[in-house]
């Protein structure tokens, strides 16, 4: 096999990642299943799965305008919530039975009210208060917040989320994480059998379809990756760092220029699977809270946590033997911009070329982006 | 065109401003250079969460964001700081006040602290500056503590925040060598309670028609009681004099001198650093009086319960989350943000509400439709501008003036 692109499973993942609605969701809904959209990886999908509900990670895929959302949000608000909200306003999220937002940033934390006010027909809307600083002290409080969310889900959807069901959901999601870790391991190879762009598709699909089927498909894909001809030479091994990253745009640009993206520090990528949730203990909500507060690499919106992020990021750069790193954040994402500014010095000291820029979530023009990336790759190759 | 109109204060307020300057000079902030020279331990904080603790520990402290305001914008160096920040390629859409603060930090213009205390809340921009500060390399060895404030406002959340804040006591004692005394702390908190009650009473006086004083006095009162002389008797006395002078004006039904009040409005954000280029003109041209801004508006602040250490910190948490200007509105649902605007409009008999739409306030930008609809229902004219309340280069005050003029005219207020 020349490339994984010809694989049916990959085509399926790619199709799911490049649209909002997909056949897996349609089938789920046909069988009477419910779907909850959630905005951020700090909202645990395990709780929804334990309630028999399909979690769907929110994104603005397919959006071409923010005309409708601009009634509620201003250009100073990040393009990610603006495009995503716009998709909801024009009916692209009609398949949702519920929505959970969290207090992850100034814009998203306001979306629950905007959503309701705009009359979008999502019957269940919930705001989860996540921890905004890192450390052991936050775990217990966040566990209580998760308990409230669980209670609300149980009440609205008339389901019972037992500890056993939570344990089962944790196991299922851990399996996903372990399979995704295997996928990332392959990217450590000198000639990775899967590109960064392809990986984005696989990862995004993971939060857009039922986990059981995803795990089954991902196992198949991993088997197929063993048959991919890995002789292809790349001009540079790069990593991507930053927010969002639910589309292949940046990877496409990099990889069309002859380099390859071998890893990332993004919240659709490595941050969601680098560790697993403890399956020990008799309080699964506490295990989930511990994982989300202490184990998942912190979002830059979490104060006082740059040292941990730095360690995680530089560790990835080393493990994946990157030749350079590309930082990207959406315009108006102040915490990520500050983080990338701080990381610049770390990469300089490590002797790893680094570039960072702000970009629109869905850019109208990519020429400037392409020029900057091209110049960066040339610098590395020189 | 010279659009500035010189504002003359009546004698008692001139005196109060001079005294306010004295409070500032005598504050930790005012003596900062002396502390630096003498090597006195200083604490850097990211928000104005509990100055009472520093006062009780006699521990000099500064709010990083206040440095941006006072050392950059109020010193006429705001544009230089913003441009300097832009040169080192940080977040392009960061609030210009935070840009100025970050610039001062990176240019090594802030006093090196002995400890850093950070509490979450506030905005994304504040979070960004928190991270820049706590990872500023020349400060790498400075001990720091991060505290998580809950978005929720229930009792459990207040206790959660209060318990974390208690941990700052041993942290500060260890980092600075200063000792904590509960008795002294209680005294300071009780004095602070008197001040916040006066702040609230003072605010209530400003409901009067015509408005006895300009909105800027709300912010000055806040700074006096919270930033310069929190928990100090001299601050309480100054606040009492401000209250008395204003009560007298209300009794005499005196409005702002030289202004015939015709339009009463609120500027629902921070007062701009270029206020002098806007508000006096609106007063003279339209008889339009700004009654209130976000920092001048104090929802009733819960008193600090001094019965125990725990009760002090829990009530301080309550005060911080549901009383502190901006924290109250930003770290809350749009209904609180808009609800405060409505309360101001109703209680202060506003004819119009202006939301400056400061470009750094992404939370406000995500709430403007909700707030707009609240006022549509009430039938009160509402206008969003989209300016920068710190850096006037983003939108010239002349343009802001023209926009507001057109708003007044089209709303039938002139």
């Amino acid at each position: 096999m020349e490339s994984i692109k010809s694989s049916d499973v990959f085509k399926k993942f790619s199709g799911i990642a490049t649209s909002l609605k997909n056949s897996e969701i349609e089938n789920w809904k046909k069988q009477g299943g419910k779907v909850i959209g959630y905005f951020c990886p700090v909202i645990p999908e395990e709780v929804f799965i334990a309630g028999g509900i399909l979690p769907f990670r929110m994104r603005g895929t397919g959006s071409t305008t923010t005309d409708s959302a601009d009634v509620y949000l201003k250009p100073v608000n990040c393009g990610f919530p603006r495009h995503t909200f716009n998709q909801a306003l024009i009916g692209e999220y009609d398949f949702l039975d519920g929505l959970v937002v969290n207090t992850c940033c100034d814009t998203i934390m306001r979306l629950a009210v905007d959503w309701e006010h705009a009359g979008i027909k999502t019957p269940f809307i919930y705001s989860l208060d996540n921890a905004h600083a890192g450390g052991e002290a936050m775990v217990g409080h966040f566990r209580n917040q998760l308990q409230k969310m669980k209670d609300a889900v149980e009440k609205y959807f008339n389901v019972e989320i037992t500890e056993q069901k939570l344990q089962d959901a944790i196991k299922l999601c851990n399996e996903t994480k372990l399979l995704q870790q295997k996928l990332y391991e392959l990217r450590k190879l000198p000639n990775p059998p899967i590109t960064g762009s392809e990986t984005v598709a696989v990862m995004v699909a993971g939060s857009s379809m039922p986990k059981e089927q995803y795990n089954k498909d991902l196992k198949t894909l991993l088997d197929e990756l063993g048959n991919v001809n890995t002789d292809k030479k790349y001009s540079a091994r790069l990593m991507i760092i930053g927010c969002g990253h639910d589309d292949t745009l940046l990877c496409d640009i990099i990889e069309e220029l002859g380099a390859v993206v071998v890893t990332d520090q993004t919240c659709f990528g490595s941050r969601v699977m680098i560790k697993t949730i403890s399956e020990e203990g008799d309080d699964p909500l506490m295990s989930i809270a511990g994982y989300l507060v202490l184990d998942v690499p912190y979002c830059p919106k979490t104060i006082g946590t740059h040292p941990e992020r730095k360690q995680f990021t530089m560790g990835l750069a080393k493990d994946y033997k990157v030749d350079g790193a590309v930082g990207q954040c959406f315009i108006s994402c102040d915490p990520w911009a500050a983080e990338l500014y701080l990381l610049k010095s770390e990469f300089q000291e490590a002797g790893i070329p680094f570039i960072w820029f702000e970009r629109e979530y869905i850019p109208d023009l990519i020429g400037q982006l392409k020029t900057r990336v091209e110049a960066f790759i040339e610098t590395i190759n020189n | 065109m010279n659009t500035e109109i010189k504002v003359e204060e009546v004698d008692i307020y001139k005196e109060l401003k001079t005294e306010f300057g004295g409070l500032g000079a005598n504050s930790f902030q005012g003596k900062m250079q002396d502390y630096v020279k003498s090597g006195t331990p200083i604490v850097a904080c990211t928000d104005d969460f509990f100055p009472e603790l520093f006062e009780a520990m006699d521990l000099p402290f500064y709010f990083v964001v206040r440095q941006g305001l006072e050392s950059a914008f109020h010193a006429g160096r705001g544009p230089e700081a913003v441009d300097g920040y832009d040169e080192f390629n940080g977040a392009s859409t960061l609030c210009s006040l935070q840009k100025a603060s970050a610039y001062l930090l990176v240019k090594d213009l802030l006093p090196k602290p002995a400890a850093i205390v950070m509490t979450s809340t506030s905005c994304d921009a504040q979070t960004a500056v928190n991270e820049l500060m706590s990872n500023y390399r020349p400060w790498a060895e400075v001990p720091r503590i991060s505290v998580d404030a809950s978005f929720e406002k229930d009792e459990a959340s207040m206790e959660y925040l209060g318990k974390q804040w208690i941990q700052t006591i041993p942290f500060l004692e260890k980092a600075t060598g200063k000792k904590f005394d509960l008795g002294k702390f209680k005294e300071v908190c009780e004095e602070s309670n008197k001040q916040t009650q006066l702040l609230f009473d003072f605010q209530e006086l400003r409901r009067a028609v015509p408005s006895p004083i300009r909105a800027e006095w709300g912010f000055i009162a806040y700074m006096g009681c919270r930033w310069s002389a929190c928990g100090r008797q001299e601050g309480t006395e100054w606040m009492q004099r401000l209250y008395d002078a204003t009560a007298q004006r209300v009794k005499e039904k005196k409005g702002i001198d030289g202004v015939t009040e015709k339009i009463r409005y609120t500027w629902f954000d921070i007062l701009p650093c270029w206020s002098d280029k806007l508000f006096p003109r609106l007063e003279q041209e339209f008889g339009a009086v700004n009654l209130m801004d976000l920092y001048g508006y104090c929802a009733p602040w819960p008193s600090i319960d001094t019965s125990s250490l725990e009760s002090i910190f829990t009530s301080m948490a309550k005060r911080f989350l549901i009383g502190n200007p901006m924290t109250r509105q930003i770290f809350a649902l749009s209904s609180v943000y808009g609800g405060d605007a409505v309360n101001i409009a109703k209680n202060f008999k506003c004819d119009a509400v202006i939301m400056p739409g400061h470009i750094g306030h992404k939370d406000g930008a995500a709430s403007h439709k909700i707030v707009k609809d609240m006022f549509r229902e009430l039938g009160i004219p509402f206008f969003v501008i989209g300016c920068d309340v710190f850096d006037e280069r983003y939108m010239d005050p002349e343009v802001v003036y023209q926009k507001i003029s057109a708003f007044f005219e089209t709303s039938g207020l002139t």
Side-chain angles (χ1 to χ4, degrees):
Chain A
M1 192 185 280
E2 280 295 313
S3 155
I4 200 65
K5 278 193 169 64
S6 57
S7 149
D8 287 340
V9 174
F10 177 75
K11 285 177 191 166
K12 178 180 173 181
F13 284 156
S14 182
I16 289 172
T18 50
S19 60
L20 295 180
K21 294 168 181 166
N22 63 64
S23 58
E24 292 284 347
I25 294 175
E26 278 170 26
N27 291 339
W28 180 270
K29 298 282 287 184
K30 271 181 199 163
Q31 290 163 28
K34 304 290 183 191
V35 182
I36 285 185
Y38 67 105
F39 259 96
C40 170
V42 84
I43 301 169
E45 53 186 4
E46 289 81 0
V47 175
F48 311 131
I49 292 171
I53 301 163
L54 173 63
F56 184 94
R57 180 88 178 274
M58 301 300 289
R59 45 194 165 91
T61 309
S63 175
T64 55
T65 175
T66 58
D67 286 353
S68 301
D70 289 347
V71 175
Y72 282 86
L73 304 172
K74 294 276 187 186
V76 296
N77 296 115
C78 163
F80 168 60
R82 276 195 292 139
H83 279 283
T84 306
F85 187 41
N86 204 86
Q87 290 292 65
L89 287 167
I90 62 172
E92 291 296 312
Y93 273 115
D94 284 355
F95 61 88
L96 292 183
D97 301 288
L99 175 73
V100 177
V101 300
N102 60 319
T103 52
C104 62
C105 77
D106 288 349
T107 304
I108 288 178
M109 73 181 183
R110 302 277 196 195
L111 267 191
V113 177
D114 286 342
W115 201 279
E116 207 164 359
H117 187 271
I120 298 169
K121 289 172 185 148
T122 309
F124 173 78
I125 298 176
Y126 189 84
S127 289
L128 174 69
D129 188 13
N130 55 264
H132 313 94
E136 292 278 355
M138 289 75 195
V139 177
H141 184 72
F142 188 51
R143 187 236 174 264
N144 294 340
Q145 301 301 319
L146 294 182
Q147 178 75 48
K148 286 187 206 170
M149 184 183 81
K150 178 180 100 70
D151 293 347
V153 169
E154 284 180 318
K155 188 176 174 190
Y156 183 81
F157 290 97
N158 194 24
V159 293
E160 192 185 2
I161 300 175
T162 62
E163 287 187 356
Q164 186 55 52
K165 284 179 181 174
L166 275 171
Q167 294 286 15
D168 293 344
I170 288 170
K171 277 189 186 128
L172 180 65
C173 294
N174 277 350
E175 187 186 1
T176 303
K177 290 174 175 56
L178 292 168
L179 289 167
Q180 289 172 335
Q181 285 172 17
K182 279 187 185 171
L183 181 76
Y184 270 58
E185 279 298 309
L186 294 173
R187 303 171 77 195
K188 289 180 178 171
L189 295 170
N191 295 305
I194 186 163
T195 65
S197 185
E198 290 157 356
T199 306
V200 170
V202 176
M203 295 301 290
V204 171
S207 58
S208 315
M209 61 186 281
K211 280 281 182 289
E212 292 87 350
Q213 187 59 46
Y214 177 76
N215 289 352
K216 195 175 157 194
D217 289 342
L218 186 49
K219 279 178 200 162
T220 305
L221 188 83
L222 286 166
D223 288 342
E224 290 175 346
L225 282 167
N227 301 322
V228 171
N229 178 350
T230 57
D231 287 345
K232 189 168 177 185
K233 301 287 181 226
Y234 296 102
S235 60
R237 297 168 62 84
L238 301 182
M239 75 181 288
I240 289 178
I241 306 163
C243 54
H245 204 233
D246 60 23
D247 67 33
T248 62
L249 173 77
L250 191 54
C251 285
D252 288 342
I253 290 173
I254 290 169
E255 290 171 348
E256 280 167 16
L257 290 166
V260 64
V261 176
V262 292
T263 192
D264 65 85
Q265 207 281 61
T266 70
C267 58
F268 269 89
S270 67
R271 294 186 61 236
V272 302
M273 58 71 175
I274 204 73
K275 287 182 181 172
T276 55
I277 301 176
S278 168
E279 296 175 15
E280 307 297 318
D282 52 8
D283 183 354
L285 275 185
M286 187 62 97
S287 302
I288 293 171
Y291 166 79
L292 290 172
V293 174
L294 301 173
D295 293 340
V296 171
Y298 294 113
C299 168
K301 178 68 181 175
T302 319
I303 61 167
T305 55
H306 170 72
E308 287 84 355
R309 270 191 308 283
K310 177 180 76 178
Q311 192 181 11
F312 173 59
T313 307
M314 300 315 291
L316 286 176
K318 188 181 168 198
D319 292 348
Y320 288 80
K321 297 185 175 63
V322 304
D323 302 310
V326 179
Q328 55 103 36
C329 74
F330 305 139
I331 293 172
S332 291
C333 184
D334 297 335
W336 260 114
E339 175 67 11
L340 293 170
Y341 170 76
L342 287 167
L343 283 173
K344 187 179 168 185
S345 317
E346 305 303 330
F347 277 100
Q348 274 173 348
E349 272 183 17
I352 299 171
F354 176 77
I355 185 177
W356 85 270
F357 43 76
E358 294 171 305
R359 71 171 177 101
E360 290 289 357
Y361 173 62
I362 297 179
D364 293 330
L365 301 167
I366 58 166
Q368 195 187 21
L369 204 57
K370 198 168 180 178
T371 305
R372 295 192 71 177
V373 172
E374 189 169 16
F376 178 63
I377 294 172
E378 275 180 24
T379 308
I380 293 171
N381 290 331
N382 288 337
Chain B
M1 184 169 63
N2 182 12
T3 57
E4 289 187 46
I5 296 170
K6 197 162 173 54
V7 172
E8 286 289 338
E9 294 279 12
V10 291
D11 288 347
I12 181 70
Y13 289 94
K14 274 185 194 164
E15 284 171 23
L16 285 162
K17 264 196 184 164
T18 305
E19 288 172 14
F20 171 72
L23 291 179
N26 197 35
S27 68
F28 287 129
Q29 175 75 25
K31 296 177 182 171
M32 199 55 70
Q33 290 307 321
D34 296 338
Y35 298 131
V36 172
K37 277 181 198 158
S38 63
T40 306
I42 297 165
V43 179
C45 302
T46 53
D47 218 328
D48 44 351
F49 50 97
F50 51 29
E52 290 86 355
L53 180 65
F54 300 111
E55 180 62 29
M57 291 180 76
D58 191 25
L59 185 50
F61 71 100
Y62 64 86
F63 306 130
V64 175
V65 71
R66 185 179 165 193
Q67 303 304 309
L69 186 66
E70 297 191 354
S71 302
F73 284 102
H74 287 177
R77 296 176 61 201
E80 181 193 327
V82 169
D83 292 347
Y85 166 88
D86 286 338
E87 275 172 26
F88 66 72
N89 191 22
S92 65
T93 60
L94 199 72
C95 167
S96 44
L97 177 62
Q98 304 284 4
K99 281 187 179 182
S101 308
Y103 171 80
L104 296 174
L105 170 77
V106 175
K107 287 292 177 180
D108 212 16
L109 296 171
L110 295 180
K112 185 175 179 178
I116 298 172
V117 181
M118 298 186 289
T119 301
S120 66
T121 75
S122 267
C123 54
D124 288 354
Q126 181 71 67
T127 305
V129 174
N130 282 349
E131 288 305 271
L132 289 177
M133 178 180 69
S134 63
N135 296 285
Y136 178 48
R137 291 195 167 193
W139 295 5
E141 79 285 7
V142 176
R144 64 213 60 199
I145 187 167
S146 304
V147 174
D148 177 28
S150 184
F151 185 82
E152 288 205 6
K153 308 290 185 281
D154 57 7
E155 286 299 319
S157 299
M158 305 301 176
E159 280 177 25
Y160 171 62
L161 176 56
K163 278 180 185 166
Q164 291 176 78
W165 271 350
I166 288 177
Q167 296 309 311
T168 58
I169 295 174
F171 166 78
L172 288 171
E173 283 185 322
K174 189 177 174 194
T176 67
K178 292 275 186 172
K179 290 292 161 210
F180 173 77
D181 177 274
L182 182 58
K184 173 71 179 163
F185 190 33
K186 284 184 178 181
E187 277 174 29
V188 170
C189 289
E190 276 155 17
E191 199 65 36
S192 171
N193 280 342
K194 288 182 202 164
Q195 293 175 341
T196 48
Q197 183 59 48
L198 275 166
L199 262 179
F200 185 70
D201 293 344
F202 169 66
Q203 173 181 281
E204 293 304 281
L205 287 176
R206 295 160 66 205
R207 292 186 184 210
V209 181
S211 176
I213 49 166
R214 293 188 167 84
E216 65 166 335
W217 276 99
F219 186 34
I220 293 171
Y222 177 85
M223 286 194 288
C225 289
R226 301 300 298 163
W227 289 5
S228 296
C230 176
R232 292 184 184 181
Q233 198 179 340
E234 67 204 64
T236 316
E237 289 166 357
W238 174 80
M239 191 63 223
Q240 184 68 55
R241 282 196 290 281
L242 176 58
Y243 174 84
D244 292 343
T246 309
Q248 185 61 32
R249 289 185 72 80
V250 172
K251 195 174 168 190
E252 294 169 5
K253 296 192 185 312
K254 279 189 179 170
I256 297 167
D257 289 282
V259 177
T260 307
E261 185 177 293
K262 292 177 187 163
I263 303 171
R264 293 166 64 86
Y265 68 95
T266 181
W267 174 272
F268 196 59
D269 208 311
I270 300 169
L271 286 176
C273 287
W274 34 270
S275 288
D276 54 346
K277 295 180 181 172
L278 179 67
F279 298 128
R281 281 185 79 192
L282 292 170
E283 288 172 359
Q284 294 303 320
E285 293 293 324
F286 299 101
V289 175
N290 178 26
L291 303 163
M292 188 61 70
D293 69 288
L294 265 187
Y295 263 97
Y297 176 64
C298 302
W301 286 27
S303 280
I304 300 172
D305 175 357
T306 57
S307 52
S308 69
L309 185 66
E310 288 72 22
S311 70
I312 289 177
F313 277 95
T314 302
S315 52
M316 267 187 171
K318 202 175 287 185
R319 172 181 275 201
F320 179 67
L321 287 174
I322 65 175
N324 213 39
M326 284 192 69
T327 307
R328 168 183 166 82
Q329 290 92 7
I330 288 175
F331 208 54
L333 293 171
S334 303
S335 53
V336 175
Y337 183 87
D340 279 359
V342 167
N343 285 341
I344 292 171
K346 281 183 175 173
N347 297 339
F348 292 81
K349 302 179 187 67
C350 291
D351 303 304
V353 173
I354 295 171
M355 187 171 163
H358 172 54
I359 56 155
H361 289 164
K362 297 171 177 86
D363 51 287
S367 299
H368 77 276
K369 167 72 172 157
I370 308 277
V371 184
K372 191 177 186 176
D373 285 357
M374 284 175 163
F375 283 104
R376 186 174 287 162
E377 264 181 40
L378 287 171
I380 297 175
F382 176 81
F383 182 50
V384 185
I385 300 174
C387 59
D388 185 326
V389 297
F390 302 107
D391 190 348
E392 66 182 66
R393 297 172 303 171
Y394 183 82
M395 185 182 283
D396 193 296
E398 173 65 23
V399 177
V400 178
Y401 172 78
Q402 295 299 341
K403 281 175 181 269
I404 295 175
S405 302
F407 163 63
F408 284 159
E409 283 162 13
T410 54
S411 304
L413 294 168
T414 57

